[in-house]
Amino acid sequence: MDEMKNQEALIARLNGNSQYLQSNDMKVTELRRGYARVEMVIDQQILNVHGFVHGGALFSLADTAAGAASFATGRDSVTLNGSINYIKPGRGGKLIGVATEISAGRTTGVYEVFIYNDDAVLLSRATFTMFFLDGEHMKSQTKYRRN
C-alpha cells in the first residue's frame, strides 16, 4: 500500500510541478518501478508544416516518459543521452509514451520508450540514458530552484 501511495505522490509531483509538462499537454498517467506511461494531447501547437506531429514533440514525450520511469526508482535524474527512431507520422488525438527500464546501476539507468497514437500505431522508438542525482547534488541545487 505504501508503494501505491508513493507512486501516486510521484505522479502528482511530476504533473503538478512541471510547467513544461503542463504547457505541452503532457501527463504522467501510470508509474511503477522501471515503468512509466505518459500521454500528450495532439493539437495544432505540436504539428509540423506537413500536419504531422513534430519530431521534437515526439522526442520530448519520449524524454519525459524515460525520466518518469527513472524517477520511479526513487531517485531523481536528468537525461545524459537520448536517441530516437521515427517510424510513422504522428496522427490522432493523443500520443502515448511507454517507457521501460533496461538497466539501472549506481549512477545511470537505460530506458526504452515506445510512442503510440491512440489507435495503437507505433510512431517511434527511443532509448535514453539517465544520470541519477544523489542527495548532496540535489541539496546544492535547491538554492537555484524557483518555487
Side-chain angles (χ1 to χ4, degrees):
M1 189 65 148
D2 268 350
E3 188 173 335
M4 186 161 227
K5 283 185 181 181
N6 289 342
Q7 291 166 352
E8 290 172 5
L10 181 55
I11 288 172
R13 174 184 167 212
L14 294 171
N15 288 334
N17 291 341
S18 175
Q19 291 287 325
Y20 187 78
L21 266 65
Q22 293 167 14
S23 65
N24 286 285
D25 286 325
M26 280 191 253
K27 183 180 281 190
V28 179
T29 60
E30 192 177 342
L31 197 60
R32 60 182 179 271
R33 183 166 180 82
Y35 175 89
R37 178 184 166 115
V38 181
E39 296 181 0
M40 182 179 196
V41 174
I42 298 175
D43 61 18
Q44 294 294 322
Q45 301 292 340
I46 66 167
L47 300 181
N48 65 20
V49 297
H50 305 291
F52 304 128
V53 175
H54 191 284
L58 291 165
F59 189 92
S60 186
L61 176 61
D63 183 39
T64 299
S70 70
F71 273 48
T73 65
R75 302 161 72 190
D76 283 3
S77 65
V78 293
T79 303
L80 193 59
N81 187 49
S83 66
I84 191 166
N85 290 305
Y86 301 105
I87 298 166
K88 294 208 175 182
R91 297 184 178 130
K94 70 179 172 180
L95 301 169
I96 301 153
V98 177
T100 55
E101 185 178 270
I102 296 171
S103 171
R106 188 175 57 80
T107 58
T108 62
V110 179
Y111 298 84
E112 183 173 48
V113 183
F114 292 93
I115 297 178
Y116 303 91
N117 68 10
D118 47 4
D119 289 326
V121 174
L122 180 63
L123 305 179
S124 64
R125 177 189 176 274
T127 305
F128 284 83
T129 302
M130 309 303 288
F131 178 76
F132 295 119
L133 301 172
D134 63 21
E136 290 306 310
H137 177 79
M138 292 300 291
K139 288 177 193 171
S140 71
Q141 297 302 308
T142 55
K143 64 183 173 185
Y144 300 110
R145 287 194 194 150
R146 292 179 17 197
N147 290 333

